[in-house]
Amino acid sequence: MTLKIIVPPHPVIAHWLSMLRNETTPSAIYSTGLEQLGKWLTYEAIREWLPNRKEEIKTTHCKTEGFVIESRVPLLAIPNLPGGLTLWQGGRDLLPNAILCLSGVPKEIESNAGIVIYLDQISTGEILMKTIKDLKKQHIEGKRIRIICAIASSKGLKLLGEAFSDLTIYAACIDPELKDDGSISPGIGNPEQRINTIITR
């Protein structure tokens, strides 16, 4: 198996990524950009992953076959704070039944649960690797996990792939350079600083 990284070629995703990259983008718009990326990347990530079932539906004219989301399958959303939480705020409308796990990986996870991890960026990959290790301790397979991030560095993805080859990651972009201080270039700046005025009100 190899690490699967998907960068959806969607103009709305590209637009909001550009808003995050621009150093003059105000905090409020930056926060909105993260939310919008969370929404559209979540949409792409669950397209063929979210459990659903066929169900007979009675219309005003006849009976027909439809599909409904399988609500009996638990979903967990694990955001890395603070940027990951802002991404989740954009994605939560698509996952209304998901349980938000603000304290990281729960000590007990149901055997059929799906997990969506939100983090603003994958730089060295160390933060995400810790979360994945905690999930692996509970025997959670990669096919039950979806990872959503605004951007990822090539180096971080390489290290992740060497450690965990069964993951699927959705990102707005893969950036080529990782600076000595761990920041990504071109990057989106430091989300914690850029949305600080929003999250501390």
Side-chain angles (χ1 to χ4, degrees), residues 29-152:
I29 302 301
Y30 188 93
S31 182
T32 298
L34 277 177
E35 286 187 19
Q36 287 296 312
L37 285 184
K39 174 182 177 179
W40 292 102
L41 289 170
T42 298
Y43 174 83
E44 295 290 340
I46 66 175
R47 184 198 298 267
E48 298 176 356
W49 180 73
L50 197 64
N52 59 83
R53 69 177 187 275
K54 292 181 181 180
E55 189 172 281
E56 188 178 80
I57 299 170
K58 186 178 181 181
T59 74
T60 53
H61 298 290
C62 63
K63 291 181 179 179
T64 188
E65 189 179 76
F67 290 85
V68 295
I69 301 302
E70 184 53 83
S71 59
R72 291 172 294 184
V73 177
L75 288 172
L76 306 180
I78 304 176
N80 177 255
L81 304 178
L85 182 59
T86 309
L87 284 170
W88 157 247
Q89 288 169 344
R92 64 182 175 180
D93 288 342
L94 302 174
L95 301 171
N97 297 322
I99 299 169
L100 180 60
C101 305
L102 284 176
S103 299
V105 176
K107 292 182 179 179
E108 294 185 6
I109 298 175
E110 295 183 61
S111 59
N112 64 335
I115 294 99
V116 186
I117 301 170
Y118 290 89
L119 67 168
D120 48 69
Q121 49 194 325
I122 298 172
S123 53
T124 61
E126 291 178 3
I127 292 173
L128 180 55
M129 275 196 274
K130 182 183 183 306
T131 301
I132 299 301
K133 286 177 181 177
D134 289 342
L135 289 170
K136 293 291 186 180
K137 289 176 183 176
Q138 298 193 47
H139 308 290
I140 307 295
E141 298 177 343
K143 65 182 180 181
R144 292 169 54 192
I145 302 169
R146 286 295 179 271
I147 298 160
I148 293 172
C149 67
I151 60 169

